[in-house]
């Protein structure tokens, strides 16, 4: 049985002129005008079926939603897709992140992967600030981005702390240990590069 591709209507009717224009810009797929989908101005790259204009409505594969940070579950037996309300989650997560000292959340495409990014200005020093940074990572998990990144700024120097969302979620669910999590962090910047700094990369997490 061929794998069924489920498309979700995102936008209402488009003018016929717009359809022709889109076809000229992005080409066609099985006779339908291809549509370009972006997140924060960055294009979402999907394999297989592209976003298309279908009888005046914009349709795109669920995989594109996942790339945009929208999580969902699919019940093949009931032919039902349940979307998780990313909008509400993002608003609440942003409020929580700001309360913890971050400057908000940006969902952006980095190396073709959706990444949730938070800038966190140093307050008391990394050791003391880590508790709040760790809480920020917890707040970012439900957004469903592929990666989570906190940019820790101290004296105008940027230090990047990043992890794949699914890896951190495994730790929260207890399927990997703290020691295993330590090996999954990605860090860069003066804070982690300087051998004379009192903060050791191994202390992250």
């Amino acid at each position: 049985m061929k794998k069924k591709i489920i498309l979700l209507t995102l936008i209402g009717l488009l003018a016929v002129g717009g359809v022709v224009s889109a076809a000229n810009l992005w080409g066609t797929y099985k006779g339908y005008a291809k549509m370009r989908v972006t997140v924060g101005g960055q294009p979402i790259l999907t394999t297989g079926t592209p976003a298309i204009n279908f009888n005046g409505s914009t349709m795109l594969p669920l995989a594109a939603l996942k790339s945009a940070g929208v999580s969902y579950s699919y019940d093949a037996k009931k032919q039902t897709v349940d979307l998780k309300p990313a909008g509400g989650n993002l608003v609440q997560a942003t409020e929580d992140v700001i309360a913890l000292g971050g400057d908000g959340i940006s969902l952006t495409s980095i190396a073709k992967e959706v990444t949730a990014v938070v800038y966190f200005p140093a307050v008391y020093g990394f050791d003391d600030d880590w508790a709040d940074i760790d809480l920020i990572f917890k707040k970012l998990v439900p957004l469903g981005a592929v990666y989570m990144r906190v940019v820790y700024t101290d004296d105008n120097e940027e230090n990047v702390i990043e992890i794949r969302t699914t890896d951190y979620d495994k730790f929260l669910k207890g399927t990997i240990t703290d020691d295993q999590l330590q090996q999954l962090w990605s860090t860069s910047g003066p804070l982690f590069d300087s051998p004379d700094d009192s903060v050791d990369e191994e202390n992250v997490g």
Side-chain angles (χ1 to χ4, degrees), residues 9-56:
T9 302
L10 290 185
I11 305 175
L13 296 176
L14 298 176
V16 174
V19 174
V20 174
S21 175
N24 290 336
L25 282 174
W26 316 118
T28 60
Y29 177 80
K30 295 188 176 181
Y32 298 101
K34 288 183 182 179
M35 304 299 292
R36 188 169 187 253
V37 182
T38 63
V39 175
Q42 297 296 322
I44 292 177
L45 302 178
T46 59
T47 58
T49 305
I52 61 171
N53 182 285
F54 180 77
N55 294 335

Side-chain angles (χ1 to χ4, degrees), residues 29-186:
Y29 177 80
K30 295 188 176 181
Y32 298 101
K34 288 183 182 179
M35 304 299 292
R36 188 169 187 253
V37 182
T38 63
V39 175
Q42 297 296 322
I44 292 177
L45 302 178
T46 59
T47 58
T49 305
I52 61 171
N53 182 285
F54 180 77
N55 294 335
S57 294
T58 299
M59 316 287 283
L60 75 158
L62 286 173
L65 293 181
K66 185 175 182 181
S67 295
V70 179
S71 60
Y72 65 88
S73 60
Y74 171 52
D75 188 325
K77 185 176 181 180
K78 295 181 180 179
Q79 292 287 284
T80 301
V81 176
D82 180 44
L83 298 177
K84 310 304 178 185
N89 290 342
L90 181 57
V91 171
Q92 185 60 59
T94 300
E95 292 176 354
D96 293 343
V97 164
I98 291 173
L100 289 166
D103 67 351
I105 302 170
S106 297
L107 292 176
T108 188
S109 177
I110 300 176
K112 300 181 182 179
E113 300 281 15
V114 175
T115 302
V117 181
V118 173
Y119 278 78
F120 188 99
V123 181
Y124 304 110
F126 185 75
D127 282 342
D128 292 327
D129 289 339
W130 173 251
D132 288 333
I133 294 172
D134 190 40
L135 286 175
I136 285 175
F137 278 109
K138 289 182 173 68
K139 300 296 182 182
L140 296 178
V141 169
L143 299 183
V146 179
Y147 287 94
M148 304 181 296
R149 174 183 293 190
V150 170
V151 181
Y152 184 73
T153 58
D154 190 6
D155 293 330
N156 296 321
E157 294 181 330
E158 294 187 351
N159 303 278
V160 175
I161 311 157
E162 182 175 286
I163 194 165
R164 182 176 282 272
T165 302
T166 52
D167 289 337
Y168 195 78
D169 191 42
K170 289 176 183 177
F171 169 70
L172 295 178
K173 292 177 179 176
T175 57
I176 64 174
T177 66
D178 184 61
D179 287 340
Q180 291 173 316
L181 182 69
Q182 295 287 339
Q183 307 305 313
L184 301 174
W185 291 104
S186 175

